[in-house]
Amino acid sequence: MFLEPHFKGQRSGWIEVICGSMFSGKTEELIRRLKRAKIANQKVEIFKPGIDTRYDDKKVVSHDANSILSVPVDHSSRLLKLTDGVGVVGIDEAQFFDEQLPEVCQQLALRGIRVIVAGLDMDYRGQPFGPMPNLLAVAEYITKVHAICQHCGNLATHSYRLSEDESTVVLGEQDRYEARCRTCYHMGNILNLQVREEKET
Ligand code: ZN
């Protein structure tokens, strides 16, 4: 489990990233850290991209409904204006933010803010997702959380897409994706390819 660093002298800012596949508990871990900061009377603000409106406009919502209020923003640069006097900034669904997010997080950290970012590290194609790889490069602390493979029970690192829709952003994730380990993800892709080839011939 992630434990916050101890400080000697003046507190400085830093970046934490929580990443993993779907159903890995990223948002739950983000909420756990933010709630602890709130209990310590630190001023906390939570942001999410304006695009993610699956459940509720004003909340960071994890799938078990253990949620806290958040502000939807359309561009990461808005965070620089909305964080005056804030000690801890949480960012959920970071993969959907623009490419400027890593730079914005670094500026916030330089102002002495603790920045905690949660997001999918890979999309359903197994490719690094949006600004996440650059965030991982500049973060002080990285936590990779795992789901359980829905086929074999091993640790799952991949989000396997069941639907036919080609767009990377498919909302309403619960019924369209499965958490899979590397092997089961790979086997699923091979089977899909065979089915597609059979259809075409
Ligand atoms: Zn598996």
Side-chain angles (χ1 to χ4, degrees):
M1 187 183 283
F2 179 83
L3 293 173
E4 286 77 0
H6 293 283
F7 293 99
K8 283 180 188 149
Q10 207 187 349
R11 184 193 151 95
S12 60
W14 70 87
I15 302 170
E16 299 163 31
V17 176
I18 303 160
C19 67
S21 69
M22 284 177 171
F23 316 113
S24 61
K26 300 179 296 296
T27 302
E28 287 85 349
E29 176 60 16
L30 175 67
I31 289 172
R32 185 186 74 85
R33 294 184 194 182
L34 293 174
K35 281 192 169 164
R36 295 174 80 229
K38 263 190 175 170
I39 290 166
N41 291 322
Q42 293 172 354
K43 191 170 179 216
V44 175
E45 284 287 353
I46 308 112
F47 300 95
K48 65 176 184 178
I51 186 179
D52 182 42
T53 54
R54 271 175 303 186
Y55 303 102
D56 193 314
D57 255 336
K58 291 262 163 52
K59 289 176 182 170
V60 166
V61 179
S62 67
H63 307 300
D64 62 0
N66 177 17
S67 61
I68 40 179
L69 284 174
S70 78
V71 182
V73 288
D74 52 5
H75 195 272
S76 62
S77 58
R78 294 268 300 143
L79 303 195
L80 297 170
K81 291 175 188 132
L82 295 169
T83 47
D84 271 354
V86 174
V88 183
V89 167
I91 300 169
D92 198 27
E93 301 283 1
Q95 75 277 357
F96 292 139
F97 268 101
D98 50 276
E99 293 295 328
Q100 237 178 287
L101 184 63
E103 180 52 36
V104 168
C105 289
Q106 294 198 88
Q107 287 190 38
L108 295 176
L110 277 174
R111 292 181 189 173
I113 295 173
R114 175 185 176 193
V115 185
I116 315 173
V117 188
L120 287 165
D121 45 11
M122 287 183 279
D123 63 19
Y124 72 90
R125 298 165 301 184
Q127 298 298 311
F129 208 148
M132 291 301 288
N134 288 349
L135 273 167
L136 288 164
V138 299
E140 273 89 346
Y141 306 101
I142 297 164
T143 305
K144 189 146 179 162
V145 286
H146 299 98
I148 305 292
C149 177
Q150 289 169 244
H151 282 258
C152 72
N154 282 322
L155 281 187
T157 47
H158 288 66
S159 307
Y160 182 79
R161 197 187 57 176
L162 302 164
S163 82
E164 294 288 304
D165 193 334
E166 284 290 314
S167 115
T168 312
V169 182
V170 180
L171 301 177
E173 66 186 46
Q174 296 277 5
D175 49 342
R176 292 180 189 254
Y177 291 91
E178 279 180 1
R180 290 197 180 186
C181 70
R182 184 184 295 280
T183 304
C184 295
Y185 172 82
H186 190 63
M187 291 306 290
N189 281 347
I190 288 172
L191 283 173
N192 268 347
L193 203 63
Q194 284 172 351
V195 169
R196 229 176 288 153
E197 278 170 359
E198 275 166 25
K199 273 187 195 164
E200 282 165 15
T201 52

